Amino acid sequence: MTEVHQWGVAEVALESDREGWDGSSSESGVEVQLSGPDGRSQRIAAFWDGGAAWRFRFSPGAVGTWRYRTIAADPSDRGLHGREGTIECVPYRGDNPLYAHGPVRVSASGRHFEHDDGTPFFWMGDTAWSGVLKAKPEDWERYLVTRRKQGFTVVQYLLAQYRAFPR
């Protein structure tokens, strides 16, 4: 059993009966059917992690026991097909609003942002453009600490090399 706090990320490792998938065939895919304690159900993709290793990551939105079952494109791979297990989701204890209230979304009215639990989210953003790419780690950390003290809730930035590293 895997344990994770609400809206945290659980990672589950799987191992194929075969080795060396090169990613070239969609017939080698694996999906995971998840069922939550509140009746939520969703299907996500697992990913190949080299050799015979596969993994899936999941962020549960409800406290309690989540059950999963894997569905491999090749049902004869007993390491990937029909694997079952549980993920125990426990309440979050801390002050990070993304874990305390859940991910941010557009409200049903389409007029404001809110967390998954309905708590309003105020988008107060700064744009750092290539800050992540060009700053030293200690400078980036100082920037983030400063923006948090100033009440910013969002930092927008580029992760591509556009203009930051033209060569």
Side-chain angles (χ1 to χ4, degrees), residues 42-138:
Q42 67 184 94
R43 203 170 192 163
I44 61 173
F47 62 92
W48 178 62
D49 199 24
W54 285 74
R55 300 181 187 283
F56 71 89
R57 294 183 182 131
F58 171 64
S59 181
V63 172
T65 302
W66 286 77
R67 302 191 185 292
Y68 67 84
R69 185 175 202 291
T70 61
I71 303 128
D74 177 1
S76 69
D77 187 335
R78 295 186 311 156
L80 297 178
H81 186 73
R83 306 298 300 188
E84 295 183 355
T86 59
I87 298 169
E88 191 63 32
C89 178
V90 298
Y92 172 68
R93 308 268 187 246
D95 64 356
N96 182 326
L98 294 176
Y99 293 141
H101 303 291
V104 177
R105 65 182 182 204
V106 175
S107 68
S109 71
R111 301 187 71 179
H112 65 276
F113 294 109
E114 66 184 13
H115 290 274
D116 191 71
D117 68 358
T119 302
F121 177 83
F122 181 66
W123 187 289
M124 174 67 169
D126 187 20
T127 304
W129 293 115
S130 298
V132 176
L133 293 172
K134 296 189 103 171
K136 295 176 186 168
E138 59 271 16

